[in-house]
């Protein structure tokens, strides 16, 4: 097979990039390791920056999000027996965020791709990227029927997540990996119960971190942090709800509506970046290149950030005949990625008990008091949470 852009991975990065390129008349093929249902079964992000929403609109996949997404002007942070609101709209110059599950946006993108003539091959294996440093790279893989296939292309977009093949295709001596592990994970529960509040509440308590989020007005998403020794099978619904209740401020504890979990999982907290995000005609996109702790709600939004840059660069290459535009990809992405990595690390260190050092715990409390209690502090949180602007592509 021959195409202009071969995309590895049909998660949100690959599907969003594929839709944008297809709409622009740039031919692309997506190959994916698992089935569509398996991709949709992963319960992950839920909060979208304005930049992400604009990309979805540009991809022509905004209809359902426009109807069902919840637009939020702020969120709350609970600490030290108090709850303070971060007025995002006021302190970010009018910006808002949208609550709409990653599963939903992935489904909308899958439906759009199915309705188009664009090709997607699911359940592939043995994916390999060849000659990425040349003008004619190619990708080989085996189909679920056992056939060996080859896609000749101009460019390869590695949208295959943290455990994919793309990052590892870049020789180890050509890439630098930066990582921080937190030795805690988020135990998350999805339940068809009404959210405790109409906005998100992040909080820290003597028993640890919690987050009260949602997917709709009838479906809630809750998290508590746990040590990495914990196993999800040791957490019955009852144990989870009791633990969450014990962490909630007294003033809102009575509003919690519990019910059977429809999903329960533990995700480890990790900060990770690989540099550069490009190797010749191979581009790393989204989780293939970077991971953030979910405390800043950035993971999915950073994937969209990379997609934005790669899409605009591909427009320069194919519509303005500027093949040299590809040289700016990694620098453009990393400039914004590092700032979001910082924000995600900072929110994590402010809201999780990561040490018993009383000095660090004192600093944490004073940081929370200052950044949620002053105009300057609120502006810093709001500007980062709604998402920093995307830079122009030359
Ligand atoms: P993805 O990992 O979503 O998609 C990569 C795709 O590539 C997968 O479908 C995979 O099957 C496929 N693939 C892998 N190897 C392949 C190969 N060799 N060949 C072909 N295909 C291959 N972000 C938030 O903002 N908030 C959250 O609360 C949050 N929670 C998360 C919880 C968990 C458990 C995880 C793992 C991530 C979470 N994230 C969260 C981050 C998450 O939303 C990612 O940022 C988002 O899925 C990134 O999308 P992609 O870059 O498309 O990667
Ligand atoms: C979620 O709803 O899953 C969610 C929201 C905000 C976060 C992390 C997760 O920071």
């Amino acid at each position: 097979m021959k195409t202009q852009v071969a995309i590895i991975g049909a998660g949100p990065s690959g599907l969003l990039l594929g839709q944008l390129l297809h709409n622009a008349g740039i031919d692309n093929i997506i190959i994916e390791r698992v089935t569509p249902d398996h991709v949709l079964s992963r319960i992950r992000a839920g909060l979208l920056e304005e930049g992400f929403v604009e990309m979805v609109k540009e991809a022509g996949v905004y209809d359902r999000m426009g109807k069902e997404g919840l637009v939020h002007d702020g969120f709350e942070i609970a600490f030290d027996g108090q709850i303070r609101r971060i007025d995002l709209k006021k302190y970010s110059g009018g910006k808002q965020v949208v609550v709409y599950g990653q599963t939903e946006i992935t489904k909308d993108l899958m439906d759009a791709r199915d309705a188009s003539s664009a090709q997607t091959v699911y359940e592939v294996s043995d994916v390999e990227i060849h000659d990425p440093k040349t003008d004619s790279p190619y990708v080989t893989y085996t189909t679920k029927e056992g056939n060996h296939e080859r896609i000749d292309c101009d460019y390869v977009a590695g949208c295959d997540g943290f455990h994919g093949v793309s990052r590892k295709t870049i020789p180890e001596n050509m890439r630098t990996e930066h990582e921080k592990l937190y030795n805690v994970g988020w135990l998350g529960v999805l339940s068809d119960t009404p959210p405790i509040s109409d906005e998100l509440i992040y909080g820290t308590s003597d028993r640890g971190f919690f987050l009260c989020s949602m997917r709709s007005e009838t479906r809630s998403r809750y998290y508590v942090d746990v040590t990495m020794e914990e196993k999800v099978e040791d957490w019955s619904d009852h144990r989870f709800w009791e633990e969450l209740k014990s962490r909630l401020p007294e003033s809102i504890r009575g509003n919690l509506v519990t019910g059977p979990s429809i999903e329960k999982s533990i995700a480890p907290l990790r900060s990770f970046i690989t540099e550069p995000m490009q190797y010749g005609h191979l581009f790393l996109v989204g989780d293939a290149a970077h991971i953030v702790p979910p405390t800043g709600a950035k993971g999915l939004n950073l994937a969209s950030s990379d997609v934005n840059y790669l899409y605009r660069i591909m427009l320069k290459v194919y519509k303005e005949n500027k093949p040299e535009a590809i040289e700016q990809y990694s620098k453009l992405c990393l400039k914004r990625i590092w700032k979001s990595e910082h924000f995600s690390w900072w929110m994590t260190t402010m809201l999780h008990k990561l040490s018993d050092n009383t000095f660090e715990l004192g600093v944490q409390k004073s940081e929370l008091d200052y950044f949620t209690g002053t105009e300057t502090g609120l502006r810093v949180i709001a500007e980062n949470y709604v998402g920093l602007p995307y830079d122009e592509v030359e």
Side-chain angles (χ1 to χ4, degrees):
M1 285 180 277
K2 177 125 184 69
T3 190
Q4 290 170 306
V5 182
I7 299 173
I8 304 177
S13 298
L15 289 166
L16 180 57
L17 177 64
Q19 195 59 34
L20 288 161
L21 294 175
H22 175 75
N23 292 351
I26 298 172
D27 192 51
N28 65 91
I29 296 175
I30 297 179
I31 57 174
E32 164 58 54
R33 193 166 46 89
V34 298
T35 63
D37 285 347
H38 185 131
V39 177
L40 292 170
S41 70
R42 299 177 188 129
I43 304 300
R44 291 185 173 171
L47 190 125
L48 309 178
E49 295 174 352
E50 223 162 61
F52 188 116
V53 175
E54 289 312 307
M55 295 296 290
V56 169
K57 286 179 182 170
E58 190 162 350
V61 188
Y62 176 69
D63 282 358
R64 194 161 73 98
M65 183 190 286
K67 292 189 191 90
E68 298 176 19
L70 303 175
V71 179
H72 282 199
D73 293 346
F75 68 92
E76 293 182 321
I77 293 184
F79 69 100
D80 218 14
Q82 58 194 310
I83 301 179
R84 288 186 178 167
R85 185 165 185 267
I86 315 297
D87 187 335
L88 293 171
K89 196 167 181 181
K90 177 177 177 186
Y91 291 109
S92 72
K95 288 191 174 184
Q96 300 163 301
V97 291
V98 172
V99 171
Y100 189 71
Q102 174 170 325
T103 303
E104 306 316 318
I105 185 58
T106 305
K107 186 170 181 341
D108 295 342
L109 286 163
M110 281 181 178
D111 291 348
R113 184 125 184 131
D114 291 349
S116 77
S117 56
Q119 199 173 348
T120 311
V121 185
Y122 285 94
E123 297 181 86
V124 303
S125 55
D126 313 320
V127 172
E128 277 189 72
I129 300 164
H130 307 267
D131 299 344
K133 293 288 273 185
T134 70
D135 291 347
S136 45
Y138 62 97
V139 178
T140 55
Y141 63 93
T142 305
T143 67
K144 64 180 178 187
E145 296 79 15
N147 304 323
H148 300 293
E149 299 289 351
R150 167 174 167 148
I151 303 173
D152 288 288
C153 54
D154 301 334
Y155 301 100
V156 180
C159 302
D160 48 352
F162 187 66
H163 301 290
V165 66
S166 301
R167 186 173 69 251
K168 297 166 193 142
T169 300
I170 303 177
E172 277 191 35
N173 64 346
M174 301 295 283
R175 56 187 156 95
T176 305
E177 298 190 350
H178 313 276
E179 184 168 51
K180 176 175 178 56
L181 297 174
Y182 297 84
N183 289 326
V184 294
W186 280 16
L187 166 60
V189 156
L190 195 65
S191 58
D192 280 332
T193 54
I196 190 171
S197 165
D198 56 9
E199 290 185 329
L200 272 64
I201 308 174
Y202 294 78
T204 182
S205 71
D206 293 343
R207 291 186 64 87
F209 168 86
F210 66 86
L211 169 58
C212 303
S213 183
M214 63 198 75
R215 289 292 177 272
S216 69
E217 283 154 10
T218 58
R219 178 166 285 192
S220 298
R221 180 74 168 157
Y222 292 104
Y223 297 94
V224 294
D225 76 322
V226 293
T227 64
M228 286 320 292
E229 287 68 48
E230 290 290 341
K231 299 274 172 284
V232 67
E233 50 271 20
D234 295 338
W235 283 84
S236 66
D237 287 1
H238 176 71
R239 184 183 175 197
F240 175 83
W241 294 121
E242 288 306 301
E243 183 59 42
L244 175 62
K245 269 186 220 162
S246 72
R247 299 188 185 195
L248 292 174
E250 185 68 41
S251 58
I252 59 170
R253 197 169 293 159
N255 307 340
L256 180 68
V257 178
T258 64
S261 60
I262 51 179
E263 193 271 353
K264 197 187 291 171
S265 53
I266 296 178
L269 266 55
R270 176 202 309 267
S271 296
F272 175 86
I273 294 188
T274 194
E275 294 185 284
M277 289 175 51
Q278 175 182 354
Y279 183 65
H281 284 212
L282 167 62
F283 303 97
L284 304 185
V285 183
D287 276 20
H290 41 74
I291 297 286
V292 284
T295 329
K298 289 292 163 234
L300 179 56
N301 292 300
L302 290 181
S304 147
S305 178
D306 298 344
V307 165
N308 163 69
Y309 290 128
L310 186 53
Y311 166 59
R312 305 223 181 276
I313 287 170
M314 288 293 105
L315 289 178
K316 295 277 180 194
V317 169
Y318 288 108
K319 305 298 179 187
E320 300 178 34
N321 195 26
K322 291 182 179 171
E324 71 281 2
I326 68 168
E327 296 317 319
Q328 62 190 305
Y329 174 74
S330 189
K331 188 159 173 267
L332 269 176
C333 291
L334 287 167
K335 183 164 175 268
R336 191 172 185 275
I337 296 293
W338 271 111
K339 292 187 177 72
S340 296
E341 286 276 356
H342 169 266
F343 179 67
S344 304
W345 163 82
W346 178 56
M347 285 283 278
T348 303
T349 57
M350 262 199 311
L351 289 165
H352 292 73
K353 187 168 183 256
L354 301 172
S355 122
D356 290 323
N357 180 299
T358 53
F359 175 78
E360 287 176 19
L361 296 172
V363 164
Q364 185 183 61
K365 204 173 278 186
S366 73
E367 253 192 325
L368 279 167
D369 186 37
Y370 176 78
F371 282 94
T372 62
T374 66
E375 295 245 335
T376 312
L378 289 163
R379 199 162 288 115
V380 169
I381 295 177
E383 186 179 282
N384 281 279
Y385 196 83
V386 300
L388 299 174
Y390 294 163
D391 290 320
E392 286 305 310
V393 169
E394 279 136 35

